[in-house]
mmCIF file of all heavy atoms in Angstrom:
data_model
loop_
_atom_site.group_PDB
_atom_site.id
_atom_site.type_symbol
_atom_site.label_atom_id
_atom_site.label_comp_id
_atom_site.label_asym_id
_atom_site.label_seq_id
_atom_site.Cartn_x
_atom_site.Cartn_y
_atom_site.Cartn_z
ATOM 1 N N HIS A 1155 -8.703 -7.272 9.545
ATOM 2 C CA HIS A 1155 -8.475 -7.872 10.855
ATOM 3 C C HIS A 1155 -7.399 -7.068 11.584
ATOM 4 O O HIS A 1155 -6.847 -6.121 11.025
ATOM 5 C CB HIS A 1155 -8.036 -9.338 10.704
ATOM 6 C CG HIS A 1155 -6.719 -9.497 10.012
ATOM 7 N ND1 HIS A 1155 -6.550 -9.335 8.648
ATOM 8 C CD2 HIS A 1155 -5.486 -9.783 10.498
ATOM 9 C CE1 HIS A 1155 -5.282 -9.521 8.324
ATOM 10 N NE2 HIS A 1155 -4.604 -9.793 9.427
ATOM 11 N N THR A 1156 -7.115 -7.444 12.813
ATOM 12 C CA THR A 1156 -6.054 -6.811 13.599
ATOM 13 C C THR A 1156 -5.197 -7.895 14.246
ATOM 14 O O THR A 1156 -5.581 -9.073 14.260
ATOM 15 C CB THR A 1156 -6.617 -5.904 14.714
ATOM 16 O OG1 THR A 1156 -7.353 -6.716 15.628
ATOM 17 C CG2 THR A 1156 -7.500 -4.794 14.160
ATOM 18 N N HIS A 1157 -4.067 -7.489 14.771
ATOM 19 C CA HIS A 1157 -3.192 -8.369 15.549
ATOM 20 C C HIS A 1157 -2.897 -7.684 16.886
ATOM 21 O O HIS A 1157 -2.751 -6.460 16.920
ATOM 22 C CB HIS A 1157 -1.853 -8.600 14.837
ATOM 23 C CG HIS A 1157 -1.980 -9.173 13.472
ATOM 24 N ND1 HIS A 1157 -2.327 -10.476 13.237
ATOM 25 C CD2 HIS A 1157 -1.799 -8.611 12.249
ATOM 26 C CE1 HIS A 1157 -2.349 -10.694 11.931
ATOM 27 N NE2 HIS A 1157 -2.033 -9.580 11.306
ATOM 28 N N PRO A 1158 -2.732 -8.455 17.954
ATOM 29 C CA PRO A 1158 -2.438 -7.843 19.254
ATOM 30 C C PRO A 1158 -0.951 -7.534 19.438
ATOM 31 O O PRO A 1158 -0.513 -7.290 20.552
ATOM 32 C CB PRO A 1158 -2.905 -8.924 20.240
ATOM 33 C CG PRO A 1158 -2.672 -10.201 19.509
ATOM 34 C CD PRO A 1158 -2.986 -9.890 18.055
ATOM 35 N N PHE A 1159 -0.172 -7.532 18.364
ATOM 36 C CA PHE A 1159 1.269 -7.293 18.437
ATOM 37 C C PHE A 1159 1.692 -6.337 17.330
ATOM 38 O O PHE A 1159 1.017 -6.221 16.307
ATOM 39 C CB PHE A 1159 2.040 -8.619 18.299
ATOM 40 C CG PHE A 1159 1.604 -9.447 17.121
ATOM 41 C CD1 PHE A 1159 2.067 -9.188 15.840
ATOM 42 C CD2 PHE A 1159 0.719 -10.502 17.299
ATOM 43 C CE1 PHE A 1159 1.656 -9.944 14.757
ATOM 44 C CE2 PHE A 1159 0.299 -11.270 16.219
ATOM 45 C CZ PHE A 1159 0.771 -10.993 14.951
ATOM 46 N N ARG A 1160 2.817 -5.648 17.545
ATOM 47 C CA ARG A 1160 3.428 -4.854 16.477
ATOM 48 C C ARG A 1160 4.144 -5.819 15.543
ATOM 49 O O ARG A 1160 4.737 -6.800 15.993
ATOM 50 C CB ARG A 1160 4.425 -3.861 17.062
ATOM 51 C CG ARG A 1160 5.113 -3.049 15.986
ATOM 52 C CD ARG A 1160 6.082 -2.047 16.538
ATOM 53 N NE ARG A 1160 6.876 -1.520 15.424
ATOM 54 C CZ ARG A 1160 8.120 -1.126 15.536
ATOM 55 N NH1 ARG A 1160 8.743 -1.165 16.703
ATOM 56 N NH2 ARG A 1160 8.771 -0.679 14.483
ATOM 57 N N ALA A 1161 4.109 -5.541 14.251
ATOM 58 C CA ALA A 1161 4.769 -6.400 13.262
ATOM 59 C C ALA A 1161 5.630 -5.547 12.334
ATOM 60 O O ALA A 1161 5.184 -4.517 11.839
ATOM 61 C CB ALA A 1161 3.732 -7.156 12.453
ATOM 62 N N ALA A 1162 6.862 -6.006 12.113
ATOM 63 C CA ALA A 1162 7.769 -5.384 11.145
ATOM 64 C C ALA A 1162 8.262 -6.506 10.242
ATOM 65 O O ALA A 1162 8.808 -7.496 10.729
ATOM 66 C CB ALA A 1162 8.931 -4.704 11.849
ATOM 67 N N ALA A 1163 8.050 -6.373 8.938
ATOM 68 C CA ALA A 1163 8.301 -7.497 8.041
ATOM 69 C C ALA A 1163 9.090 -7.098 6.803
ATOM 70 O O ALA A 1163 9.094 -5.941 6.387
ATOM 71 C CB ALA A 1163 6.977 -8.131 7.625
ATOM 72 N N LEU A 1164 9.719 -8.111 6.221
ATOM 73 C CA LEU A 1164 10.450 -7.997 4.964
ATOM 74 C C LEU A 1164 9.905 -9.055 4.020
ATOM 75 O O LEU A 1164 9.948 -10.252 4.328
ATOM 76 C CB LEU A 1164 11.951 -8.233 5.203
ATOM 77 C CG LEU A 1164 12.829 -8.369 3.968
ATOM 78 C CD1 LEU A 1164 12.858 -7.068 3.163
ATOM 79 C CD2 LEU A 1164 14.243 -8.800 4.367
ATOM 80 N N VAL A 1165 9.383 -8.631 2.874
ATOM 81 C CA VAL A 1165 8.911 -9.571 1.851
ATOM 82 C C VAL A 1165 10.138 -10.163 1.172
ATOM 83 O O VAL A 1165 11.027 -9.425 0.730
ATOM 84 C CB VAL A 1165 7.996 -8.871 0.828
ATOM 85 C CG1 VAL A 1165 7.531 -9.855 -0.249
ATOM 86 C CG2 VAL A 1165 6.801 -8.216 1.520
ATOM 87 N N VAL A 1166 10.206 -11.501 1.105
ATOM 88 C CA VAL A 1166 11.372 -12.142 0.511
ATOM 89 C C VAL A 1166 11.048 -12.915 -0.771
ATOM 90 O O VAL A 1166 11.965 -13.304 -1.497
ATOM 91 C CB VAL A 1166 12.103 -13.058 1.523
ATOM 92 C CG1 VAL A 1166 12.674 -12.225 2.665
ATOM 93 C CG2 VAL A 1166 11.207 -14.156 2.048
ATOM 94 N N GLN A 1167 9.770 -13.127 -1.050
ATOM 95 C CA GLN A 1167 9.380 -13.856 -2.266
ATOM 96 C C GLN A 1167 7.937 -13.530 -2.598
ATOM 97 O O GLN A 1167 7.109 -13.362 -1.713
ATOM 98 C CB GLN A 1167 9.549 -15.367 -2.039
ATOM 99 C CG GLN A 1167 9.159 -16.260 -3.209
ATOM 100 C CD GLN A 1167 7.672 -16.597 -3.226
ATOM 101 O OE1 GLN A 1167 7.064 -16.822 -2.190
ATOM 102 N NE2 GLN A 1167 7.090 -16.641 -4.403
ATOM 103 N N GLY A 1168 7.641 -13.435 -3.879
ATOM 104 C CA GLY A 1168 6.263 -13.270 -4.326
ATOM 105 C C GLY A 1168 5.782 -11.833 -4.292
ATOM 106 O O GLY A 1168 6.561 -10.878 -4.341
ATOM 107 N N GLU A 1169 4.448 -11.728 -4.193
ATOM 108 C CA GLU A 1169 3.789 -10.435 -4.297
ATOM 109 C C GLU A 1169 2.576 -10.439 -3.374
ATOM 110 O O GLU A 1169 1.858 -11.436 -3.274
ATOM 111 C CB GLU A 1169 3.356 -10.254 -5.750
ATOM 112 C CG GLU A 1169 2.565 -9.051 -6.066
ATOM 113 C CD GLU A 1169 2.182 -9.017 -7.546
ATOM 114 O OE1 GLU A 1169 1.728 -10.045 -8.088
ATOM 115 O OE2 GLU A 1169 2.329 -7.943 -8.141
ATOM 116 N N MET A 1170 2.361 -9.312 -2.703
ATOM 117 C CA MET A 1170 1.208 -9.190 -1.827
ATOM 118 C C MET A 1170 0.728 -7.750 -1.833
ATOM 119 O O MET A 1170 1.445 -6.854 -2.293
ATOM 120 C CB MET A 1170 1.560 -9.616 -0.395
ATOM 121 C CG MET A 1170 2.583 -8.726 0.287
ATOM 122 S SD MET A 1170 2.941 -9.183 2.007
ATOM 123 C CE MET A 1170 1.460 -8.604 2.830
ATOM 124 N N TRP A 1171 -0.498 -7.555 -1.356
ATOM 125 C CA TRP A 1171 -1.048 -6.229 -1.177
ATOM 126 C C TRP A 1171 -1.473 -6.099 0.275
ATOM 127 O O TRP A 1171 -2.147 -6.974 0.815
ATOM 128 C CB TRP A 1171 -2.257 -6.013 -2.084
ATOM 129 C CG TRP A 1171 -1.886 -5.844 -3.520
ATOM 130 C CD1 TRP A 1171 -1.776 -4.676 -4.214
ATOM 131 C CD2 TRP A 1171 -1.586 -6.884 -4.452
ATOM 132 N NE1 TRP A 1171 -1.410 -4.929 -5.510
ATOM 133 C CE2 TRP A 1171 -1.289 -6.281 -5.687
ATOM 134 C CE3 TRP A 1171 -1.522 -8.280 -4.366
ATOM 135 C CZ2 TRP A 1171 -0.944 -6.999 -6.815
ATOM 136 C CZ3 TRP A 1171 -1.181 -9.007 -5.491
ATOM 137 C CH2 TRP A 1171 -0.895 -8.365 -6.701
ATOM 138 N N LEU A 1172 -1.059 -5.025 0.904
ATOM 139 C CA LEU A 1172 -1.415 -4.728 2.288
ATOM 140 C C LEU A 1172 -2.189 -3.412 2.244
ATOM 141 O O LEU A 1172 -1.617 -2.372 1.898
ATOM 142 C CB LEU A 1172 -0.159 -4.599 3.145
ATOM 143 C CG LEU A 1172 -0.360 -4.277 4.615
ATOM 144 C CD1 LEU A 1172 -1.075 -5.433 5.320
ATOM 145 C CD2 LEU A 1172 0.973 -4.009 5.285
ATOM 146 N N ASP A 1173 -3.498 -3.486 2.518
ATOM 147 C CA ASP A 1173 -4.371 -2.310 2.397
ATOM 148 C C ASP A 1173 -4.218 -1.642 1.035
ATOM 149 O O ASP A 1173 -4.158 -0.423 0.926
ATOM 150 C CB ASP A 1173 -4.095 -1.304 3.515
ATOM 151 C CG ASP A 1173 -4.768 -1.687 4.813
ATOM 152 O OD1 ASP A 1173 -5.696 -2.515 4.789
ATOM 153 O OD2 ASP A 1173 -4.365 -1.159 5.861
#
Side-chain angles (χ1 to χ4, degrees):
H1155 64 285
T1156 63
H1157 303 287
F1159 50 81
R1160 178 179 169 211
L1164 171 65
V1165 179
V1166 295
Q1167 179 274 321
E1169 175 181 46
M1170 65 177 286
W1171 287 260
L1172 180 65
D1173 280 342

